[in-house]
Amino acid sequence: MTAYIPDIKNPEAMYTVYIERFDPEKDEKPYLKRYTVPFVQTMTVMEALEYLWDQGEYIAFRANCREFTCGSCAMLINGKPRLACDTLFENNMRLEPLSRYARIKDLVVDTNEVKEKLKALRYWPESKNRKQTYRVTQDALDKFHRIYSRCIECYCCLEACPASSSERSGFDGPMHLLQIARAATHPLDTLDRTRQASEHGIWSCVSCFECAGVCPMELSPGTVIAELRKRAVKEMILRFIGVGKEK
Ligand code: FES
């Protein structure tokens, strides 16, 4: 791995960074370790980590696209869930792994459980009519579907959400409901997404909008959840007065 930092030989300053290390094969518990990184303008947290890797500090972290599209590099940066590739490096930063998942090593956590839960939602457009396989052009897509499709599944909103932190809340979290809304707004989708949203905690959201504050794509899952609630209430009323029909 080589950090792409053109001016690293002429740094503007030496910055300190504290990184939580943990190797389950060697360490009894996590510990904070201090490192020094030569800082150059526009350097990101990911580039600082790559620099350290180049120096033989093999700190485990996830990286893939490096341009905020894959969502894999989310971690706690100064206590907030953020993308390492989308955060400018600053002096005295503290880097830790996301806190709600089992740690694999250093900054890498095991998110398989969330991925499995997401898959179980069948959050891709699901059509009852299998013959209806015509291609949906971009023009035909609902504008909300396009917006919701920007979610990169980085888990930042899950980390920030106070309502999904308790196992007893029954609320999988904002990202799951955003994905349900994404499927619901696809023109070919015919699953009962309102029922699905209810089963996955639509009424448990506390509307604090912490999710919107940490979303690197500037989405507002809290607003999407409010829309899902409106849709649920509307469908309930229509059913009650007998004009509702199964999707
Ligand atoms: S590496 Fe893909 S979002 Fe950061």
Side-chain angles (χ1 to χ4, degrees):
M1 183 187 300
T2 303
Y4 177 68
I5 315 169
D7 295 321
I8 198 79
K9 290 202 173 77
N10 299 303
E12 291 155 45
M14 294 305 285
Y15 275 8
T16 296
V17 59
Y18 298 88
I19 302 177
E20 193 174 284
R21 304 289 313 264
F22 180 63
D23 180 344
E25 292 191 357
K26 289 193 312 206
D27 304 321
E28 270 181 27
K29 54 181 186 181
Y31 61 97
L32 262 196
K33 190 164 175 189
R34 179 180 182 276
Y35 298 91
T36 308
V37 175
F39 172 77
V40 292
Q41 239 185 14
T42 74
M43 188 180 207
T44 63
V45 168
M46 178 163 289
E47 285 170 329
L49 286 166
E50 287 175 333
Y51 167 81
L52 289 170
W53 188 277
D54 289 347
Q55 305 309 305
E57 299 286 356
Y58 299 123
I59 300 158
F61 64 98
R62 281 209 171 97
N64 192 1
C65 69
R66 292 166 173 78
E67 52 181 11
F68 17 103
T69 51
C70 76
S72 63
C73 65
M75 60 182 68
L76 290 181
I77 301 179
N78 292 340
K80 291 237 171 218
R82 301 175 73 178
L83 298 179
C85 70
D86 190 29
T87 305
L88 286 178
F89 186 50
E90 291 168 12
N91 198 13
N92 291 320
M93 274 183 154
R94 182 177 169 132
L95 312 182
E96 296 157 290
L98 295 178
S99 68
R100 297 191 181 180
Y101 313 96
R103 174 128 42 163
I104 296 177
K105 192 177 176 188
D106 297 333
L107 301 171
V108 178
V109 291
D110 183 356
T111 53
N112 277 338
E113 201 184 317
V114 184
K115 286 194 184 108
E116 289 307 314
K117 270 192 179 173
L118 264 184
K119 257 199 266 169
L121 292 179
R122 304 178 68 83
Y123 63 105
W124 45 90
E126 185 91 8
S127 176
K128 273 183 192 159
N129 183 358
R130 294 262 165 213
K131 287 194 183 131
Q132 198 183 19
T133 53
Y134 60 84
R135 252 183 116 70
V136 176
T137 66
Q138 281 297 309
D139 293 347
L141 290 176
D142 180 288
K143 90 171 172 190
F144 292 108
H145 179 81
R146 288 166 195 244
I147 295 170
Y148 304 158
S149 294
R150 297 207 318 252
C151 171
I152 57 173
E153 296 175 24
C154 63
Y155 311 133
C156 286
C157 61
L158 298 185
E159 184 77 20
C161 174
S164 67
S165 58
S166 131
E167 276 186 14
R168 283 180 300 161
S169 72
F171 180 38
D172 287 338
M175 182 178 80
H176 297 72
L177 287 173
L178 185 81
Q179 294 297 354
I180 290 172
R182 183 170 75 91
T185 49
H186 192 284
L188 290 187
D189 187 70
T190 53
L191 278 193
D192 187 348
R193 298 294 178 182
T194 303
R195 175 186 296 223
Q196 194 182 36
S198 297
E199 288 167 358
H200 288 270
I202 189 182
W203 306 108
S204 304
C205 166
V206 294
S207 304
C208 63
F209 295 93
E210 289 289 326
C211 48
V214 297
C215 177
M217 307 314 289
E218 298 181 355
L219 294 169
S220 177
T223 309
V224 175
I225 291 167
E227 286 303 319
L228 284 171
R229 284 176 171 173
K230 265 195 235 164
R231 182 180 164 130
V233 170
K234 197 168 149 194
E235 284 182 19
M236 238 178 335
I237 293 171
L238 286 175
R239 251 184 237 135
F240 183 70
I241 60 176
V243 296
K245 57 178 187 220
E246 293 296 319
K247 202 179 171 189

